[in-house]
Amino acid sequence: MLAQDRNSTVYDRLWNPKEYLSHYYSTAYVADDDAAIYEHLISFLKQENRTFAKIIDFGCGPTPHHIFPLIPYLEELHFADYVPENLQEISNWLEGNSSAHNWDMWIEYILKKEGFDSVTSKDIEHRKKLVREKSTAFKLGDLRKSHPLNDDSVYDLVLSFFCAEAATNSKQEWYKYMSNLFNLVKPEGKVFIVANAHAQHYDIGKKKFPEANVTKEDFYSIFTDSKFAFDSVEVEEIPIAEWADSGLKAIIIAKARAI
Ligand SMILES: C[S@@+](CC[C@H](N)C(=O)[O-])C[C@H]1O[C@@H](n2cnc3c(N)ncnc32)[C@H](O)[C@@H]1O
């Protein structure tokens, strides 16, 4: 179990899961960054053409939605985050608690991408049931630790969306956090990382949170310096206009296979 000093970062002092959900996940449509992420996840799954035994979404925040397309292709799913209230939000959603965020629109979007002509509430409930059945652990994690879960666990696929670069303003610390994250990857396991690029901060209402101003080149160099197969590294930058008022301009989607 990870020991936490709940006063050491901006996430201890300022973070509120409901405020985050209301700022970034209350659009009437699936936002451009998530649409781009879903496209990449779907083509990644096609390319892989397999089932993963154990997957983690590290730095999930209060959001379960990135794993919706992956659910049919995994046996066991773990969620991890630094903030316990974020994990509680996801549990509330899985338990069908009425105060939980409504992710039906994201599930419907994915089911349509999978070929459903029209999506019924029964179809949505079925995907939710799969998430519930396959989510076997909710873990506290801290990228500042060399094994961020402090339990020696490793995964066939490590997913992380907008986490390490949002945990620090320092490029040097980002580099360390990413190499710590990579300690969660099994030999020959995969990583699928999404990050905000060229950002100095991101906003939630009037509150400002860190960004490490990372670039594609930073990703290439961290993968080259770490234990990844050179020919497996794919890094793409995609401009995103949607969140310009919140300090964000573009996302990086990066994939690689560990040696
Ligand atoms: C921008 S949010 C991303 C949340 C979610 N993945 C998404 O795509 O919306 C950044 C997340 O990083 C987590 N975080 C911040 N510092 C962390 C640390 N040191 N270790 C692990 N997670 C951290 C925060 O709790 C928060 O949930």
Side-chain angles (χ1 to χ4, degrees), residues 11 20 25 59-61 66 81-83 86 142-143 161-162 167 202:
Y11 288 90
Y20 181 66
Y25 293 103
C60 54
H66 288 123
D81 198 85
Y82 178 71
V83 176
N86 285 338
D142 188 344
L143 285 175
F161 303 91
F162 308 118
Y202 73 99

Side-chain angles (χ1 to χ4, degrees), residues 48-165:
E48 289 289 312
N49 192 26
R50 61 181 273 213
T51 297
F52 293 91
K54 225 170 124 197
I55 290 188
I56 188 162
D57 179 352
F58 190 96
C60 54
T63 78
H65 68 303
H66 288 123
I67 50 81
F68 294 158
L70 290 138
I71 278 295
Y73 305 96
L74 65 90
E75 285 165 21
E76 208 185 320
L77 168 67
H78 293 182
F79 287 104
D81 198 85
Y82 178 71
V83 176
E85 293 79 10
N86 285 338
L87 299 174
Q88 189 56 52
E89 273 294 326
I90 298 182
S91 298
N92 287 348
W93 174 74
L94 284 174
E95 284 161 17
N97 192 321
S98 60
S99 69
H101 193 72
N102 186 337
W103 294 103
D104 288 3
M105 180 176 76
W106 286 260
I107 295 182
E108 182 175 352
Y109 183 94
I110 284 302
L111 293 179
K112 286 198 170 145
K113 290 271 168 202
E114 289 175 4
F116 284 59
D117 283 337
S118 64
V119 174
T120 64
S121 53
K122 219 171 142 195
D123 300 326
I124 292 176
E125 284 312 310
H126 180 66
R127 182 60 50 106
K128 269 190 217 171
K129 184 166 169 279
L130 285 182
V131 183
R132 206 175 296 127
E133 285 168 359
K134 294 186 178 192
S135 301
T136 54
F138 294 83
K139 296 184 175 185
L140 288 176
D142 188 344
L143 285 175
R144 294 172 297 174
K145 314 274 181 200
S146 104
H147 187 291
L149 299 168
N150 206 27
D151 64 1
D152 291 336
S153 49
V154 283
Y155 293 85
D156 302 283
L157 174 60
V158 173
L159 301 151
S160 190
F161 303 91
F162 308 118
C163 181
E165 82 286 1

